[in-house]
Structures are given as C-alpha cells and as structure tokens.
Amino acid sequence: MKQTDSTTENLLRTLPEPLLGWYRENARDLPWRHTEDPYRIWVSEIMLQQTRVAAVLGYYARFLAVFPTVEALAETDEELLMKLWEGLGYYSRARNLQKAAREITALGGFPDTYDGLLALPGIGDYTASAIAAAAFGRREPAVDGNVLRVMTRLTDCHDDISDPKTKRAVRAALAEVMPEEPADIRIFNQAMMELGATVCGPNTAPRCDDCPVSGLCLGRQRGTAETLPVKKTKKERRVEEKTVLLLKRDGKIALRKRPKTGLLAGLWEFPNVEGTLDETAAGAAVEAMGLSVIDWQSRLTAKHIFTHVEWHMTGYALTVRGDGPAELEWVDAAGLAARSVPSAFARYYEEAKRELEMK
DNA sequence: TAAGCGTGGCA
DNA sequence: TTGCCAAGCTT
C-alpha cells in the first residue's frame, strides 16, 4: 500500500460512493448503529475488539441495562463489572472501561477528538478513530482486521498486515478518500468493516458476486484475493498441566481470587495446583492446605485453549473438613453465581453448581 | 518489536 | 479433530 501510488489512489477515489450505497441497502441491523451517543458507541467498540458480533449482542444489552450512563459505569463495584463481562474474554477491557469512565466523568464529558479519545485507557488507534467518526463525525479512518483484509485485496497488496507500517499506510490511503459529508463520515468506517465481515471475509473465498466494488478490485482481477492478506505466522502455544480441586464443605465450595495481574487477572477460580496429580498426590496437596479429606466423588478432565497457552486439567471433587488457607472463599450456589469465573473452568463450574444445588 | 491477553465458531 | 482467528490494546 504505497500512498504515492497514483493507480491505487485513483482506484480508492472511486470506492466510497458504491460502498456507501451498498451499505445503506445491506447493512445488518445492529444496536450500536441506532445511536450517536458516544457512550453506547464506545462500549460497543470495546466489546467488539477481537470478538465476534454474535458473541457481543447479549453482553451489550445486559451491560447497558445495568450501566445506562458513563456515570453509572464509573461508580460500580468491580465484582458486578466483572460478572457482566464473565465469558467475554480479554478482561482488562472491562477494567480499562471503568478507568476511562472515571476519567471521562472527571473531564466533565467525552473527548470528541481522535487525540482526546486515544488518551483514554483501552482506546488505541482503531477505537479512537471509530468513535471519533461514528459519534462525532470526524474524518478519521478506522483500520481493523476487516479493513486490512478488504484493502489488501482491493489493491493487491502483499505487505505483512501484522506490521504496523502496513496499517499506517492503509490509514493514510483511506484518509485521502474518506468522504466529507458528516452523514457519510459517520458510516464510512462501518461500511468498510461490514464489507469485510459479510462479503470479503476471512478463511473463505470472497463472495465477489455480491461485492459493490468488485469492478475496482485488483485482487479479483489478478486472482490473488484468496491468498490475501499476508500475515506473519504466530508462535506455538505452550501446554500447562493443572490439577483442579472442587473442595466441598458444609454445602459450600471453595473459590479463590486469581492474582491482580496476568492471565484471567482478578477473576475467581477453583483452587488448583501445578501438574497432573493422581489421587494420592492430590490428597496430599489438600492435606497440605490444612484440610482433611472425608470422601472422594469424581475425577473430571478438561482442556482449555487460550491464544498463547493451553491448559490440560485434571479435577477432583472431594468433601473436606477444616478451614484451609484464608484465601479460600466458601460459597453457596448464590455466592458462586455472583462471582465471575472464566470459561476456562466451565466444566468444573457446572459440576460445582450441580453439587451445590443437590446440597 | 514481540509477546501477553479469552473465547467460541467454523472450515 | 485441529487450526485459524474476530470490530486490538498494552507493555
């Protein structure tokens, strides 16, 4: 993507009109497209980072029902905030959302410029541009994975899209041709992403017959579209073995809070130890916590795959006596439901819920 | 610059 | 089943 390439620039000049026409006829009806409220647009943009629309819809409705304003979000407690994000992933997004809400409240209102938005925690180049354009009508191109895919195919660009230089070049090229009318500016980024999400998608052949700009597309013309974009391969995941303990005592189950930093920071988990322990070793680990084992119920294995690490878990459900370490929180069914336990523990969460409901 | 940070859907 | 990877940001 060379900004100085006049062929590319001429090609892109003819992009906005058919794109916007197509968008006005074919856009999906999504809740954040019915508002110009920066708060609602912001929340949607954060939730949508690296996350599919279908996964976001339910969370978005619940989140706004509980936090209808930036002030409500600024004032909430962490436990409720994380509960509303439970299962959505990338939990630092939720914490940054609240930090930013407090900054916005202190400022007396939303920043309405790219630079002002970029200064808020959790808002990077893409999100600052997306909000500036959709909420404030500013001419800021938002370049996400969809836009990079559409643009590299359109211009037959084989640069590595994981290189920030490529993103900067795409942004600069779009800045040259972005429309001027406020009504068009507000939907231009959405239209680019909509094309990437519904017509010119990843992991699949582009549906060029349905594309409003297939006539301009160099990737289609040259037959390279399906091989684009070019992306550097990522490194392998490591595997971690864990033994998860479902400790039951007096109709309650033990939870503990994860460390404030790192993976699943600050979320709740079932106590666990490194390595795959057999019953004898697991029993010894429980005794070492100052608890006495009364009874064994079940052994449950599970696997959870994160982006950069894979957990292989062996779990034991057992009845115990004693207090154990102070970090353990003994909860009933309501206590479990009120806490945010990540999906990585889903199999154990279900088992714990079942046992608490049986009592 | 590279690595850490979740989850679930789909080919 | 396995691998890819989605409306990215932070450090």
Side-chain angles (χ1 to χ4, degrees), chain A residues 116-183:
Chain A
L117 290 160
L118 188 63
L120 295 169
I123 295 186
D125 174 68
Y126 161 77
T127 306
S129 303
I131 298 172
F136 300 112
R138 295 192 180 273
R139 248 176 119 263
E140 303 286 356
V143 180
D144 73 333
N146 287 308
V147 175
L148 285 169
R149 185 171 55 256
V150 168
M151 288 287 281
T152 53
R153 287 175 174 176
L154 212 47
T155 64
D156 191 31
C157 168
H158 294 247
D159 298 344
D160 174 10
I161 61 163
S162 55
D163 186 338
K165 282 200 298 288
T166 305
K167 198 164 98 171
R168 281 196 294 273
V170 166
R171 191 176 199 283
L174 284 173
E176 294 293 319
V177 304
M178 208 164 156
E180 308 277 354
E181 287 294 320

Side-chain angles (χ1 to χ4, degrees), chain A residues 24 27 31 42 45 72 140 149 232 249 265 306 329 344 350:
Chain A
R24 290 191 162 101
W42 171 50
E45 290 298 345
E140 303 286 356
R149 185 171 55 256
K232 187 172 32 187
R249 191 194 70 185
F306 299 92
E329 193 92 7
E350 290 310 312

